[in-house]
Structures are given as C-alpha cells and as structure tokens.
Amino acid sequence: MSSIPSSVVDADSECLIGGASEAFLRRRAFWNRVAAWLLFAAAAASVLVTIGIVYVLIRDSIPFFEQVPLSEFLTDTQWTPVFKNAHFGVMTLVSATLTVAGIALAVAIPAGLGLAIFLSEYANPKLREAVKPFLELLEGVPTVVYGFFALLFLTPMLQTVIPGLSGFNLLAPGLVMGIMILPYTASVSEDAMRSVPMGLREAGYALGFSRFRVAAQVVIPAALSGITAAFILGMSRAVGETMVVAIAAGQNPNFGFNPLEGAATITAYIVQMAMGDLPHGSIAYQSVFAAGLVLFLITLLFNLIGFYLRRRFREVY
Amino acid sequence: MQNPTKTRVKLLMNEMTSSQHTSGAMRQQQDVQPEPTSAPVLRAEARNLDFWYGATHILKSVSMAVVDCKVTAIIGPSGCGKSTLLRCFNRMHDLYPGNRYSGEIQLYPEDRNLIEMDPGMVRLRIGMVFQKPNPFSKSIFENVAAGLRVRGVADKRILYERVEQALSGAALWDEVKDRLHDSAYGLSGGQQQRLCIARALAPQPDILLLDEPTSALDPIATAKIEDLLTVLRNTVTVIIVTHNMQQAARISDFTAYMHLGKLVEYGVTEKVFTTPQSPMTNDYITGRFG
C-alpha cells in the first residue's frame, strides 16, 4: 500500500487491489460466519419444528395409552371415544384411510404413468407445453372443491351405476383423490423419465425396439426410483388428505374395507374432534393425539419405503 | 454410361484379391496360375449417399461397400461425418427431427435400399454399439436377452443358450456367469461395453456397427475390446468408427478415410496406411493434420 499516496487511499479504506487490509479480512470473516449461522438456523428450524411436533404428539398420546392398552388400540374394531362405553380400535380409522388411499393410487398409478409416458416419450415439445398448464390447474384446485365434487357430483353419478352406494362412501373420495394427486405423480414421474439419457433410448431403438417398448423396457426401469418416489409421495398425500374425506366419506367410524360404505378416516376423525368442544384432558381429547401419532407413523413408514426403494433403484445410467 | 459406384466397388474387390495374390505369390513363386480366390461378398453398399440435418449438409455423395465378414473402419478428423455415416446404416437419425437422406444404402443379398425400409426393420437386422457403454437398468442376463425377446424368443432354454453364446462371444461369460441376474451397473466400464457388444451380437445381426466403442475406456479395457474384435473378424460383418488410427490399422480389413463429409479414400487397410492415394489421407495418417 505504500506506493499509493495517502491522499488517494486513506488508512481505513480497504480494497483488494494490492493486498487486502487486516480490517477487511476480519470483516469478511465475520460476515462469512454470520451467513453460515443464518443458513444453519434456517436448516435447524425445520428440523426443530419437526422434532417439536413429534414431541407434542408423543407427549399428549402418553396419557391416552396409560388408559387404553396398546393391544386394544390395535385390535379392537370399534372406535367410539365419546360413547359411555368407549372403544378405541384405531384400525377402524386406519382401514378407511387405507381404502381411500388405495383407491386413489389405483387411479393415480395407471393414469399418472400413462400421462408421464405420453408426455415424456410421445408428445412433441409443443404439445407437452400445452398440456402442462392444465395439470398445474388441476393441482391448484382447492381440496374443499374436490370434496364437494365427490359428494355432490360424483357420488350421485356413481349411484346411478352402483345402486348400493351410500351417500357417504369411500369410493367417490378415493377416485377424486386419485385425480387430485395425479398431476403431482405424473409430473414427478415425467421428470424422472425425461432425465433418462438419450443414449439409453438409442440402445433400445438400435435393438429394434418400438417406441412403446423403449418406454416400457428402457425408460421406466431406468427411471424407476423417481417414479416410485412419486407414487409413494402421492400415497403419503392421499393418507394425509383431509378435506375430501371429511366432506364425502362421512364421519362414521366403520371397520372394514368396503368402498361402497361411508367411514371416517384418521384425518376426518381429527377434524371432527377438533371442531367439536372436547373437554381438555378428556380421553376423547387425548385420542386425537393418538390418532395423529398413528397418521404420522403411517406417513413416516411410506417415506421410509420410498427412501429404501429410491436407494435400491437408484439411477446409475 | 457405367455407374461410377460400380466401378469403385470393382476396384475395391480387385484390390482385395490382388493383395491376397501378392502374399500368395510370395509363397509360391513358381506357380504359373495364381490360386483362385473367391470374390468378396458384399453385405451392404452406400451409393451416392447424401445426408442433411436441417439445413446442414453433412454427408456428400458417399459411396462405400461393406464386405461380408470383414471389419471396415471409418476414420477421419472430428466433424468429418464418420459417425453420421455409421448412424445412417441403422437409421438412427430417424429418431430426431430434421433428418433427410438422399441416395441409397443397399442391403445384400436381397438388394433392398434400407433408406426406404421401415427403420425398425432395419434395426432388427443391424446391431449397434455406442461410444459410451449404455446397458439397460436390468440384470446382465436381461440386457443380453432384450434383443432376443424383441424378436419373439420366449423359450427360457433358448434364451439361456443364446445369452451364454453371446456373452462368450463377447469374452465376458467367465466374468459374469455367476452373477447373471445382478444389475448390469455393477460391472466395470469395460465389462459394460463388452456386455453391450454381447447384447448387440445376441440376435446375430447382419452387420454390427461400432461407434468409437473404446473412446470412453481405459487402455486395458480397450485392449480387451480390440482382442474381441479380432476374434469376431471373419465371422461378423463390422463397421467401426474410430478416431484412433492405430486401432483402425490393427483391427480392420478395409479403411475409409472421411473428410468434410466426403469419402476421400477407401480401400484395403494395409494399402490405405502404407500407400495412401490421397495426400489428405497421407497427412492425416502421418499425424500432420487432424
């Protein structure tokens, strides 16, 4: 710095030209640390919130399980927390939840996979760009609208075909939920399929494969991890979805997998209880937390399956 | 008027037979009559082939004969169109928009122009191995069986037989016979490339196209592939594109030199490398250019 006259650069100013001053380096290190801490805080916040939610779920479930043995909770086939003779068979809610999610997947897997194959392997870029906004629109429909659609449009329509269908049933919300998660599963699967390198497709074509065979035998196996992840996450969403089932599936806790009858799912039960005036600390109040914990565990299980499958079918190319 | 392409092919054949004569004559100098040698059988032949991608004119009136059960190497500097020419033989360009062919590539013995055939049909007859190993996300067995299955082979026993045959043919059988049902991605790069060769060989293609098959491999893996190609020599018709001139000299029977989309020189490998007719070829093979 000595070569620069002090009239041009005063002692406190810093510049990088010709070597940085001590003060500059210190300040830079300080702000680097601040940035690192802020980013760490952002990352930590999400982890802490998750841990906090799990903590509350478990803490408030403990008094419930002190009164209801786990064996009864898992094997009883009645769920009547507010009755005088209360039963707490959570499988009642789980069966309805899985039935709806199963129907949703039965719609979303074939339709989503078909749509993804079409967009990724058949459609030209123009058509693809024209279809995608519609998918996004479908994704943007509020779930309450889907719920009313299931209750007031789809159920009456299905009743003309299936006479035994109740006004509240699991079939209509399941089908609607399938349509609801379709855009998500389709677009995630399509991304996975499009990221399969062209060289792999060329290998298929070079063997004399047709376009469909390339899609089915080359692209899907290579994109399987992404496709599985898409459907597992779709399943998670279907299990956790509340509005559609609360509106269209009814609130009767019925054990069984009959899609023609109405039944309360875990989420529908929680909504029902949360809207009623339950005395704080009552067993029915605590059952909400136990149900929430079960819901959390089911979702966690699906995510773990998704994680395992993703690792097992990891794309290597 | 005589077809210039025909002349070219005849010249090529003469060259080939005469080169065999020379070696024969060396051995038996007293013979008055040279040994009768069978004329080479053609598998395919490009005639005045032009190719465009969009507005880009890539191949310019290329004529080249492919001799049955011989290795034909295509060499030339980057961007000369050698890969483009190779990919015309199995109509790979048809996968992308903007391709346009003119001229013909005759397939023998039935003498049909493959440019006018259905690309899928062409690819059922002409196999290909790519620059980068590209096995499918399946087991080793299923990779090799894929080409058989698409041709309607469903019998387990026949599949196993042919897969073993192909893997042995690609000098990979001993290395993978105990893990046929493991993922192909567990193999090394060189093994993957040999797997791709086995996959292409399994359906017994009329012609095997190799597009710089060793450019992504290390020298040891490259040597193994070259050994393999030497073994395949005289049993499979091979067209290989390579940027490696020594490789072309080592493994090919015929060599084509391409420059700026034109076939500058084509003949018996030995001759192309020792006494090139064109100064351009000479410059390239002596390393003065390219």
Side-chain angles (χ1 to χ4, degrees):
Chain A
M1 293 295 233
S2 58
S3 62
I4 304 167
S6 58
S7 59
V8 180
V9 177
D10 63 301
D12 286 340
S13 86
E14 307 101 16
C15 68
L16 278 173
I17 303 155
S21 72
E22 277 290 308
F24 176 86
L25 288 176
R26 262 203 309 279
R27 202 167 301 179
R28 195 173 65 156
F30 171 74
W31 284 114
N32 261 335
R33 269 204 303 279
V34 170
W37 275 105
L38 280 175
L39 295 173
F40 174 75
S46 65
V47 175
L48 287 177
V49 167
T50 312
I51 292 173
I53 290 173
V54 174
Y55 169 73
V56 171
L57 272 179
I58 293 174
R59 188 195 63 189
D60 288 15
S61 305
I62 287 170
F64 175 83
F65 286 112
E66 277 167 358
Q67 295 176 58
V68 181
L70 194 64
S71 57
E72 191 201 323
F73 186 66
L74 292 178
T75 55
D76 200 334
T77 55
Q78 285 184 62
W79 179 264
T80 52
V82 289
F83 284 17
K84 198 148 192 116
N85 176 22
H87 281 275
F88 298 95
V90 78
M91 284 304 151
T92 315
L93 303 178
V94 171
S95 67
T97 302
L98 292 182
T99 307
V100 173
I103 296 169
L105 276 193
V107 173
I109 288 182
L113 212 50
L115 188 54
I117 293 174
F118 175 75
L119 289 179
S120 155
E121 305 301 309
Y122 284 81
N124 60 35
K126 247 186 207 160
L127 187 59
R128 186 161 50 224
E129 291 321 305
V131 172
K132 280 210 146 179
F134 286 95
L135 279 183
E136 276 153 29
L137 206 65
L138 210 57
E139 202 163 14
V141 176
T143 54
V144 68
V145 174
Y146 277 116
F148 269 95
F149 176 74
L151 180 69
L152 302 177
F153 175 77
L154 196 58
T155 297
M157 203 174 81
L158 287 170
Q159 275 171 331
T160 63
V161 191
I162 311 164
L165 193 68
S166 311
F168 288 121
N169 58 71
L170 297 178
L171 183 61
L175 294 176
V176 162
M177 217 187 268
I179 295 166
M180 201 181 83
I181 62 173
L182 173 71
Y184 178 76
T185 51
S187 76
V188 175
S189 316
E190 190 228 338
D191 281 346
M193 286 162 79
R194 281 220 283 160
S195 65
V196 172
M198 201 56 207
L200 220 51
R201 289 188 184 82
E202 286 193 349
Y205 284 117
L207 280 175
F209 283 17
S210 65
R211 194 178 271 231
F212 183 75
R213 205 178 178 95
V214 167
Q217 305 259 317
V218 179
V219 178
I220 289 181
L224 202 57
S225 69
I227 295 171
T228 329
F231 286 108
I232 294 287
L233 291 173
M235 182 82 179
S236 277
R237 270 179 81 165
V239 166
E241 168 52 33
T242 309
M243 229 28 183
V244 177
V245 282
I247 291 172
Q251 299 181 330
N252 259 343
N254 288 333
F255 179 78
F257 299 91
N258 182 359
L260 303 183
E261 293 293 326
T265 63
I266 303 175
T267 51
Y269 171 72
I270 294 173
V271 166
Q272 185 192 0
M273 290 294 117
M275 288 191 306
D277 43 359
L278 286 166
H280 190 280
S282 69
I283 183 89
Y285 171 85
Q286 287 156 353
S287 74
V288 172
F289 287 92
L293 186 64
V294 169
L295 186 62
F296 170 78
L297 289 177
I298 293 177
T299 321
L300 184 70
L301 179 71
F302 281 124
N303 287 345
L304 286 179
I305 295 172
F307 179 74
Y308 167 76
L309 289 176
R310 206 176 328 184
R311 252 199 357 197
R312 188 166 140 70
F313 299 117
R314 193 184 42 200
E315 295 101 338
V316 190
Y317 302 136
Chain B
M1 194 193 120
Q2 208 184 355
N3 185 341
T5 325
K6 283 280 179 207
T7 325
R8 190 170 204 137
V9 174
K10 279 203 186 105
L11 281 173
L12 177 71
M13 290 173 175
N14 290 341
E15 217 174 78
M16 190 184 163
T17 39
S18 71
S19 80
Q20 285 172 350
H21 284 175
T22 332
S23 55
M26 298 275 235
R27 275 187 276 114
Q28 350 173 321
Q29 280 185 345
Q30 304 309 313
D31 278 11
V32 183
Q33 288 286 321
E35 260 183 287
T37 47
S38 54
V41 179
L42 292 193
R43 260 285 147 204
E45 181 191 7
R47 289 184 199 151
N48 300 320
L49 182 70
D50 280 66
F51 182 79
W52 291 262
Y53 249 136
T56 324
H57 193 177
I58 300 177
L59 296 181
K60 291 161 188 164
S61 194
V62 173
S63 297
M64 188 180 96
V66 180
V67 180
D68 187 40
C69 291
K70 295 287 169 197
V71 177
T72 305
I74 307 174
I75 59 169
S78 304
C80 69
K82 53 190 191 295
S83 277
T84 308
L85 174 60
L86 189 77
R87 288 162 72 93
C88 286
F89 277 89
N90 69 344
R91 304 278 301 277
M92 222 49 190
H93 300 300
D94 292 49
L95 296 180
Y96 305 93
N99 64 81
R100 187 155 69 85
Y101 304 83
S102 127
E104 53 202 49
I105 301 178
Q106 293 298 121
L107 267 186
Y108 297 115
E110 70 271 50
D111 203 12
R112 271 183 77 186
N113 180 5
L114 68 80
I115 301 297
E116 279 156 13
M117 285 166 68
D118 171 66
M121 286 304 294
V122 174
R123 294 180 199 131
L124 284 173
R125 297 185 43 181
I126 301 184
M128 185 167 188
V129 173
F130 299 80
Q131 211 167 336
K132 225 184 119 201
N134 53 4
F136 300 137
S137 183
K138 294 180 170 192
S139 70
I140 293 167
F141 179 85
E142 282 304 327
N143 262 280
V144 184
L148 301 168
R149 288 192 193 277
V150 73
R151 286 159 180 83
V153 182
D155 187 300
K156 269 259 152 70
R157 203 176 43 81
I158 300 176
L159 277 176
Y160 264 93
E161 225 167 69
R162 300 278 292 270
V163 167
E164 177 176 350
Q165 221 171 33
L167 284 170
S168 308
L172 193 60
W173 176 250
D174 288 334
E175 291 161 62
V176 301
K177 65 181 174 205
D178 298 324
R179 46 171 174 156
L180 285 178
H181 299 286
D182 292 0
S183 166
Y185 292 142
L187 300 175
S188 72
Q191 288 174 322
Q192 285 189 13
Q193 192 64 309
R194 276 180 283 147
L195 179 68
C196 291
I197 294 176
R199 180 175 66 186
L201 281 177
Q204 299 171 338
D206 291 356
I207 303 176
L208 180 63
L209 309 175
L210 303 168
D211 190 0
E212 301 198 19
T214 60
S215 64
L217 304 179
D218 61 70
I220 294 168
T222 299
K224 280 193 180 160
I225 302 252
E226 284 190 14
D227 286 350
L228 165 61
L229 292 176
T230 321
V231 173
L232 293 179
R233 208 170 177 169
N234 297 327
T235 56
V236 183
T237 309
V238 172
I239 311 178
I240 179 170
V241 162
T242 176
H243 63 274
N244 180 335
M245 280 176 292
Q246 285 75 31
Q247 185 170 66
R250 277 194 297 266
I251 62 170
S252 72
D253 300 290
F254 297 97
T255 296
Y257 174 67
M258 286 187 71
H259 184 72
L260 295 175
K262 285 184 181 148
L263 190 75
V264 174
E265 179 144 0
Y266 182 41
V268 172
T269 297
E270 217 179 271
K271 288 210 166 179
V272 172
F273 278 92
T274 50
T275 51
Q277 303 300 300
S278 155
M280 263 196 277
T281 316
N282 191 40
D283 285 356
Y284 183 71
I285 60 174
T286 53
R288 214 170 301 164
F289 149 79

